[in-house]
Amino acid sequence: MNFLSASEDITTQDFHELEDFIEQSICEDKFIYETCKPLIGGGKRLRPMLFLLCTHAKNSYSNEKALPLAAALELIHTASLVHDDILDGAKKRRGVSTINSRYGAQISVLVGDYLFAKAFQLVAENNYGDKVAEVLSKLVKNLCVGEIMQDRSLFAVPTLGEYYTRINLKTAVFLSSCCKLGGIVSGMSQKEIDGLTFYGGSLGLAFQIVDDILDFFGDEKVTGKIVGGDLKSGVVTLPVIRALKVSKESEVLRGIITSREVTNSDIDKAVEIIKNTDAVEYCKMRATAHIDSALVNLPFGIKTSAGLALEKIADFVVDRTW
Ligand code: FPP
Ligand code: MG
């Protein structure tokens, strides 16, 4: 299931218009275009699609006005992934070699900066107003704080509260901001904007928990990322936190995650230990609870096709394999 099958015709049209717009916005420089194209091409477009659907959910806001901001959201996300892959030393992203592994950190920093600047150019050229600029700057600030927090606690076991603070900052705030922006630009009431913001935030928590399961149990060919990447880079996530609590082999697992030199056989062992516990069911249960509260908070009785698509996206987030 992807976002096209997850929703109605409205999404298909949005999706194609968005693809064209993103493509146009990165083709000014040949080297940058060729470097970014494979990476940008493989994204799910969750963030811009959430934004676009929210702009249609109640009032009709034209795609002509919405597309630059939708593309900017995807470019900010892609810029953050380019930088994230330097921090994590990741080899694969979206099924292709990372820019870092092809060109090294110097080019990757600059390409990420370029995409980030391009995003803000699109926003600046389209007069969305101060409120939009405020939401965007806060979301990027939160993204950075989340990453710094993660980087400062590598190879250490976070409490459940610390884990949630981190995934809220690095993922949930981004998704909630996309929904909030859709409500703001299309002129919704504050109550409706708050409902959409809560929907996006809960969706984001579920999304990141599922991402953390897929890091251990996903199929590399489907996720486009290497299994055990989090463990290798020292990021301790919910499946591990749970397994440490309930596994008979928790000391072996603790030894692996704190060793700072995680080998492939360590990853296999960690996967086996996690598998022998209820960690995956536990994480899925938590993700499902966040999705339930996302759906409860969708405003306006949601009977528009965009509203139905937002409901289907919530289901996709838990069931996804990529
Ligand atoms: C992927 O998460 C990465 C992020 C959610 C954010 C990365 C943010 C930064 C590097 C700072 C902001 C930078 C800019 C240019 C705005 P993950 O590591 O959990 O998932 P993964 O398995 O896909 O890498
Ligand atoms: Mg990463």
Side-chain angles (χ1 to χ4, degrees):
M1 190 198 228
N2 62 31
F3 293 128
L4 297 184
S5 60
S7 49
E8 317 295 314
D9 290 350
I10 185 175
T11 315
T12 311
Q13 195 195 330
D14 282 356
F15 197 88
H16 292 305
E17 287 182 16
L18 175 68
E19 288 312 290
D20 292 345
F21 199 95
I22 293 173
E23 171 100 15
Q24 278 168 32
S25 64
I26 55 160
C27 65
E28 279 164 275
D29 179 279
K30 189 166 179 285
F31 174 78
I32 290 175
Y33 176 75
E34 284 170 2
T35 308
C36 297
K37 176 82 175 103
L39 173 68
I40 290 192
K44 290 183 268 301
R45 309 292 186 251
L46 175 60
R47 291 154 184 82
M49 288 308 293
L50 283 175
F51 165 72
L52 287 174
L53 288 169
C54 290
T55 68
H56 303 313
K58 187 187 167 206
N59 306 319
S60 62
Y61 185 73
S62 82
N63 264 5
E64 202 191 326
K65 286 196 263 171
L67 281 170
L69 183 46
L73 290 165
E74 186 64 17
L75 294 182
I76 293 170
H77 173 53
T78 310
S80 80
L81 295 181
V82 174
H83 285 185
D84 186 61
D85 289 337
I86 307 170
L87 300 175
D88 292 349
K91 297 271 178 285
K92 287 234 165 213
R93 165 75 66 188
R94 295 176 171 175
V96 293
S97 299
T98 56
I99 299 179
N100 186 42
S101 65
R102 276 185 293 151
Y103 297 101
Q106 284 163 318
I107 291 290
S108 305
V109 168
L110 295 167
V111 168
D113 289 348
Y114 177 94
L115 295 173
F116 193 49
K118 184 69 209 184
F120 281 91
Q121 183 189 344
L122 291 173
V123 176
E125 285 171 353
N126 287 280
N127 305 313
Y128 290 108
D130 292 348
K131 190 74 205 146
V132 167
E134 187 188 328
V135 173
L136 284 175
S137 49
K138 283 186 180 159
L139 100 78
V140 176
K141 237 172 50 179
N142 279 307
L143 205 56
C144 295
V145 174
E147 278 293 300
I148 291 168
M149 182 181 277
Q150 180 172 296
D151 212 57
R152 285 175 59 81
S153 57
L154 293 180
F155 303 101
V157 183
T159 63
L160 200 56
E162 286 161 351
Y163 170 78
Y164 264 97
T165 304
R166 187 219 292 164
I167 69 168
N168 181 46
L169 292 168
K170 76 173 197 177
T171 307
V173 173
F174 202 151
L175 268 51
S176 69
S177 300
C178 294
C179 297
K180 183 189 255 185
L181 288 168
I184 292 173
V185 300
S186 65
M188 285 185 197
S189 70
Q190 190 55 50
K191 194 160 175 264
E192 288 163 336
I193 294 171
D194 290 344
L196 282 181
T197 307
F198 196 94
Y199 160 87
S202 303
L203 193 75
L205 295 175
F207 183 88
Q208 189 59 49
I209 292 171
V210 173
D211 215 59
D212 294 341
I213 302 174
L214 289 175
D215 196 80
F216 287 104
F217 298 100
D219 176 345
E220 285 182 13
K221 288 195 203 78
V222 182
T223 62
K225 295 185 280 193
I226 284 159
V227 169
D230 285 338
L231 209 61
K232 264 205 155 129
S233 54
V235 180
V236 180
T237 57
L238 194 56
V240 175
I241 296 172
R242 176 66 182 177
L244 282 173
K245 194 167 174 207
V246 295
S247 172
K248 287 193 203 88
E249 292 186 276
S250 63
E251 283 319 305
V252 180
L253 184 58
R254 192 180 298 277
I256 292 172
I257 58 182
T258 52
S259 73
R260 292 179 179 263
E261 286 286 331
V262 181
T263 63
N264 287 341
S265 70
D266 287 337
I267 291 176
D268 291 345
K269 182 67 191 167
V271 166
E272 185 198 312
I273 294 174
I274 296 167
K275 237 189 207 163
N276 287 335
T277 70
D278 69 350
V280 173
E281 296 82 59
Y282 170 85
C283 293
K284 283 212 163 157
M285 186 195 72
R286 280 194 168 255
T288 306
H290 292 303
I291 289 300
D292 290 346
S293 75
L295 290 171
V296 166
N297 279 279
L298 265 180
F300 30 73
I302 279 292
K303 289 293 162 252
T304 61
S305 53
L308 291 171
L310 290 171
E311 285 184 1
K312 288 187 181 170
I313 283 179
D315 293 334
F316 164 82
V317 160
V318 193
D319 296 334
R320 75 197 174 96
T321 53
W322 61 299

